Amino acid sequence: MKSRETLLRLKRFQVDEKRRRVSQIEMMIAEFHRMATDLDREIQSEETRAGITDPGHFAYPTYAKAALGRRDNLRQSADNLKGQLDEAKAELQEAFEDMKKVEILDDRERATERAAEAARDQAMMDSIGLRSRANI
């Protein structure tokens, strides 16, 4: 009984950990996208201010070039995290399925225990009823 409860708690903990990991990765991806969008606006602003939109131009703003590199790195990092996110979601699904198996097994065992207890109670009631009939 105790080991079954411990196993169920462990499986629930594992699912919660996997959920947190998925959530963290999703938040990181969203943050990288937000930062890249902010850099896009800054690049656009810098290009407008300088009047040059071609990064290959000799007078292209230095800040805009650096921001382009950083933005591209953020997008690449977000793309790399998408692969990790897919893995984390697969691990979460697997952990969830394991937890469900343990929960189903636990429910079956509890149902069996309840049925055995009900049978014992019924047998006791039957024996009380037989004794009381014998005394009449």
Side-chain angles (χ1 to χ4, degrees):
M1 181 78 158
K2 279 285 191 192
S3 64
R4 186 175 55 208
E5 290 172 7
T6 304
L7 179 62
L8 190 54
R9 258 195 330 269
L10 172 66
K11 294 297 181 182
R12 286 181 179 148
F13 176 78
Q14 289 172 342
V15 167
D16 288 342
E17 283 297 309
K18 303 292 182 185
R19 254 190 213 125
R20 276 191 284 280
R21 182 165 184 257
V22 166
S23 177
Q24 286 175 336
I25 294 171
E26 288 173 338
M27 287 188 313
M28 288 173 62
I29 290 171
E31 182 66 14
F32 287 172
H33 283 300
R34 185 196 61 75
M35 291 167 64
T37 301
D38 289 347
L39 285 171
D40 277 335
R41 280 193 294 273
E42 290 179 25
I43 292 166
Q44 182 67 34
S45 173
E46 192 69 18
E47 288 176 346
T48 302
R49 187 187 63 73
I52 301 169
T53 58
D54 180 16
H57 191 276
F58 73 92
Y60 190 76
T62 307
Y63 176 76
K65 270 187 187 175
L68 280 170
R70 185 155 187 246
R71 181 202 61 197
D72 292 343
N73 286 341
L74 285 168
R75 287 183 177 160
Q76 185 178 14
S77 295
D79 289 342
N80 291 340
L81 282 175
K82 287 180 184 175
Q84 290 181 22
L85 178 61
D86 292 340
E87 289 176 23
K89 284 182 177 180
E91 290 173 6
L92 172 60
Q93 181 65 30
E94 186 177 319
F96 186 75
E97 288 171 1
D98 287 346
M99 181 187 72
K100 281 299 175 191
K101 288 176 188 175
V102 171
E103 284 178 343
I104 289 169
L105 180 61
D106 184 53
D107 288 345
R108 285 182 187 161
E109 289 178 359
R110 287 180 192 262
T112 302
E113 289 170 1
R114 283 192 301 270
E117 187 176 328
R120 282 191 302 272
D121 290 347
Q122 186 62 45
M124 186 187 323
M125 293 302 234
D126 289 348
S127 68
I128 290 171
L130 289 173
R131 273 189 246 141
S132 66
R133 270 188 142 340
N135 292 337
I136 296 181

